[in-house]
Amino acid sequence: MDKLHLDQHISHQFNEDLEHLRTKLLEMGGLVEDQLKDAIKAVETADGGLAEKVIETEDEVDRREMALDHESISLLARRQPAASDLRLVMMVTKATRDLERMGDEANKIAKMAIALNNEGGESARGYVELRHLARNVIRLVSIALDAFARFDVESAMKVVREDKNIDTEYRSAVREMITYMMEDPRAISRVMNIMWALRALERIGDHARNIAEQVIYLVHGTDVRHTSIGDIEKKLQEKLEAH
Amino acid sequence: MNLSPDDRAELKYKTVGEKFSETPKLKIRGLNVSYAEKQAIFDVNLDIGSNEVIAMIGPSGCGKSTFLRCINRMNDTVDSCRVEGSIQLDDMEICDDKVDVVPLRARVGMVFQKPNPFPKSIYDNVAYGPRIHGLASRRSELDGLVETSLRRAGLWDEVKDRLLQPGTSLSGGQQQRLCIARTIAVSPEVILMDEPCSSLDPIATAKIEELIAELSENFTIAIVTHSMQQAARVSRRTAYFHLGQLIEVNDTQHVFTNPDHQLTEAYITGRFG
């Protein structure tokens, strides 16, 4: 079924428990992905109702985070998993946290949408940058979740590399925002809102990278946090040669 | 084990991991063991470091107990058993036919699966080894040795008022600690343990594991266990045996979080191997 052979335990119940954990994490990921897409759409279309929906979904995301953590702890206590099974359970507990934080950031964007809506005014300045960054971040989240679904290190590496680009784009968008504020001080409050939304997107990119790093740890058992991309590639190459 | 020499060629796995130690107490090289026509161990190379606790794990019949029994020549008692290769304890070649097994077994003690106290008093169980090896010349000296051994085995406080009662009157866990006291009474350098906790309850098991940690300060310990959690808890290195071959030996943490060999992974995670 997959590279980690989750379905090959002597205990069928164990197979099912691990598979359930994986499915539930992907469901939670899908929920957060929708939240993010809706939040961006709410900003773009000044849709207060959609923004409210994003905020409401937050409770469901929190509930799922707790349920997944509960299941992970129960699995640790009852099965004492080892090796890749242990890494999967540890990864899930960490990824739920990253997903929950992504949900929080999407929430912030939704609140920004409501604020922008209430302020009114016709200036659409900053939307281009926001849309651009949002498109890339949404794609990044989707690749990260896909990397987990398929235990695919190549996709995970793609996320790690592209998160660097996101950070660069974020900085350049912020510089743009500053020029807008200098050009037209009346737009400051409005542009500030866009800036917060950009910041939230950048943070979401970081969480996607965390998940991607955890996928690499899950598959190879190599800890690649706080490591430069060059060093990660070197580590993975060594790992491949060792096998 | 039921392998013909032809099977042997197909079953060549190269041992992965850290086979050798910088401070070896035991050096095992090219060890092959057969029972009549059946080969039980294939070309095992391994160092066991001074004062380290090494755990041997693997499915039933993988050769881990046979391996352990080679280290103090327990396999000599099996007529059909043939051992080839070299096992060096410091500078002494254990496999040499000229080696007298009595002093060897004083240097390499063994604790078995089932506690097997002699049908003697608690005192005499512990004093037995020092007496036959002539380690104590006076009664007071022997008393001291018995007390120290029982203390180190964590049993003294429980038995000090009934040293003359039979060893078999103790509980299972206490009997196993008595056997450990008996083993350490002759000051061995290496202690071999063959599933020492498999007949004990969790509390007695925890006491033995605690004891293993303390004993490792003074002794080199090799333990065969069916409990992977036990291997994970007590050992510094873990060796995985499969069909008579040493598949992987690595730091215990490494083995249980990210083993190098697929067969090790399959075994410790309970997958079909």
Side-chain angles (χ1 to χ4, degrees):
Chain A
M1 181 184 72
D2 56 61
K3 292 173 197 163
L4 294 186
H5 309 297
L6 287 187
D7 59 345
Q8 288 180 18
H9 293 91
I10 294 162
S11 157
H12 282 284
Q13 188 57 49
F14 196 11
N15 288 339
E16 281 166 28
D17 290 349
L18 288 173
E19 186 53 40
H20 189 251
L21 209 57
R22 176 173 111 124
T23 315
K24 285 287 159 191
L25 186 74
L26 285 170
E27 279 178 19
M28 182 180 173
L31 205 63
V32 171
E33 233 181 330
D34 289 346
Q35 230 188 341
L36 175 59
K37 285 177 188 161
D38 287 347
I40 296 297
K41 200 167 172 201
V43 176
E44 285 179 347
T45 59
D47 186 340
L50 194 57
E52 290 294 347
K53 186 186 146 204
V54 172
I55 293 164
E56 278 161 24
T57 312
E58 183 62 11
D59 289 343
E60 172 67 9
V61 172
D62 290 352
R63 201 186 57 71
R64 281 171 181 262
E65 181 198 17
M66 280 159 50
L68 266 165
D69 282 355
H70 183 79
E71 239 178 83
S72 303
I73 285 180
S74 154
L75 231 152
L76 286 172
R78 294 165 73 113
R79 299 276 177 191
Q80 289 112 46
S84 57
D85 299 337
L86 176 61
R87 300 202 300 272
L88 175 68
V89 178
M90 292 309 290
M91 189 220 146
V92 166
T93 60
K94 288 182 176 184
T96 52
R97 198 178 169 83
D98 277 303
L99 287 173
E100 192 271 333
R101 294 273 172 86
M102 284 184 186
D104 283 350
E105 299 293 343
N107 229 11
K108 284 184 198 163
I109 299 174
K111 283 180 185 155
M112 235 54 81
I114 294 170
L116 284 166
N117 211 14
N118 292 345
E119 265 179 41
E122 73 282 16
S123 167
R125 285 199 146 171
Y127 278 27
V128 178
E129 290 83 355
L130 183 67
R131 200 178 300 135
H132 179 70
L133 193 67
R135 196 170 53 227
N136 289 344
V137 168
I138 288 169
R139 208 171 69 89
L140 206 65
V141 172
S142 153
I143 301 173
L145 289 171
D146 191 51
F148 172 68
R150 296 188 289 117
F151 302 137
D152 179 4
V153 171
E154 262 314 300
S155 302
M157 272 311 289
K158 199 168 170 185
V159 174
V160 172
R161 282 190 208 102
E162 287 196 16
D163 180 50
K164 268 254 171 306
N165 300 339
I166 300 273
D167 293 348
T168 314
E169 281 168 22
Y170 165 68
R171 278 194 298 274
S172 112
V174 165
R175 278 195 298 274
E176 286 288 309
M177 296 306 117
I178 291 169
T179 61
Y180 293 154
M181 288 192 278
M182 278 156 46
E183 278 168 22
D184 182 3
R186 283 170 306 173
I188 285 179
S189 131
R190 204 178 166 76
V191 175
M192 280 302 288
N193 271 325
I194 300 277
M195 273 214 342
W196 288 120
L198 289 169
R199 169 82 185 142
L201 284 172
E202 189 267 336
R203 292 293 306 142
I204 291 173
D206 291 344
H207 290 300
R209 178 185 162 134
N210 289 348
I211 291 177
E213 288 171 345
Q214 286 148 25
V215 170
I216 296 172
Y217 178 67
L218 167 62
V219 177
H220 284 317
T222 310
D223 192 344
V224 297
R225 293 171 301 168
H226 314 296
T227 309
S228 75
I229 291 173
D231 286 345
I232 297 177
E233 281 165 347
K234 214 184 290 168
K235 276 187 182 182
L236 295 185
Q237 190 58 39
E238 281 166 13
K239 194 84 198 172
L240 285 177
E241 280 163 11
H243 282 275
Chain B
M1 286 314 304
N2 196 357
L3 297 166
S4 70
D6 289 342
D7 295 331
R8 189 177 159 179
E10 289 172 33
L11 278 168
K12 272 288 171 205
Y13 291 110
K14 207 170 150 247
T15 305
V16 295
E18 302 289 328
K19 285 185 282 192
F20 304 121
S21 161
E22 283 175 15
T23 53
K25 184 74 191 169
L26 284 157
K27 279 194 257 182
I28 296 118
R29 295 292 180 272
L31 188 71
N32 285 284
V33 183
S34 320
Y35 294 110
E37 292 304 299
K38 292 169 192 164
Q39 186 156 0
I41 293 201
F42 297 85
D43 194 26
V44 167
N45 294 284
L46 178 69
D47 282 354
I48 298 178
S50 208
N51 291 20
E52 91 165 336
V53 181
I54 185 166
M56 323 289 167
I57 59 169
S60 293
C62 70
K64 55 193 191 301
S65 289
T66 298
F67 173 76
L68 200 72
R69 292 163 61 91
C70 288
I71 301 175
N72 72 346
R73 296 269 301 265
M74 287 293 289
N75 286 322
D76 285 14
T77 56
V78 182
D79 283 341
S80 63
C81 183
R82 211 176 69 243
V83 179
E84 286 166 14
S86 154
I87 301 176
Q88 279 195 315
L89 171 63
D90 292 332
D91 291 326
M92 182 175 90
E93 175 55 57
I94 291 177
C95 293
D96 192 335
D97 285 341
K98 290 192 238 44
V99 165
D100 183 354
V101 296
V102 176
L104 168 67
R105 286 176 194 158
R107 289 180 71 186
V108 184
M110 191 151 190
V111 177
F112 297 88
Q113 183 170 355
K114 278 214 189 114
N116 54 352
F118 301 138
K120 292 170 180 282
S121 70
I122 294 170
Y123 182 96
D124 285 339
N125 260 281
V126 183
Y128 183 82
R131 275 187 185 132
I132 61 163
H133 291 291
L135 297 182
S137 50
R138 281 192 313 258
R139 176 75 190 196
S140 62
E141 216 175 311
L142 193 59
D143 286 352
L145 237 168
V146 168
E147 179 177 342
T148 320
S149 305
L150 285 168
R151 276 191 193 282
R152 288 169 98 173
L155 195 59
W156 176 251
D157 289 338
E158 291 162 59
V159 301
K160 62 183 177 201
D161 300 325
R162 48 173 171 150
L163 289 173
L164 298 179
Q165 286 180 21
T168 46
S169 66
L170 298 170
S171 73
Q174 288 172 327
Q175 286 188 20
Q176 194 62 307
R177 277 180 283 148
L178 177 63
C179 292
I180 292 174
R182 187 178 66 193
T183 305
I184 59 185
V186 295
S187 303
E189 294 153 60
V190 180
I191 303 176
L192 309 173
M193 297 185 171
D194 193 354
E195 297 180 46
C197 302
S198 58
S199 61
L200 305 183
D201 76 358
I203 293 168
T205 299
K207 286 184 183 160
I208 300 279
E209 288 178 1
E210 177 67 15
L211 186 56
I212 290 172
E214 279 166 27
L215 293 176
S216 70
E217 287 171 23
N218 300 299
F219 306 99
T220 299
I221 299 173
I223 176 170
V224 161
T225 174
H226 268 140
S227 158
M228 280 173 285
Q229 278 79 33
Q230 179 166 68
R233 286 190 298 262
V234 303
S235 68
R236 192 184 72 72
R237 277 198 307 163
T238 297
Y240 172 64
F241 284 78
H242 180 88
L243 294 174
Q245 296 172 81
L246 177 57
I247 301 296
E248 173 166 356
V249 53
N250 260 321
D251 271 4
T252 297
Q253 191 199 329
H254 186 85
V255 170
F256 285 95
T257 58
N258 191 17
D260 288 335
H261 203 287
Q262 259 187 324
L263 286 171
T264 318
E265 168 117 9
Y267 181 69
I268 62 167
T269 59
R271 286 170 166 81
F272 307 107

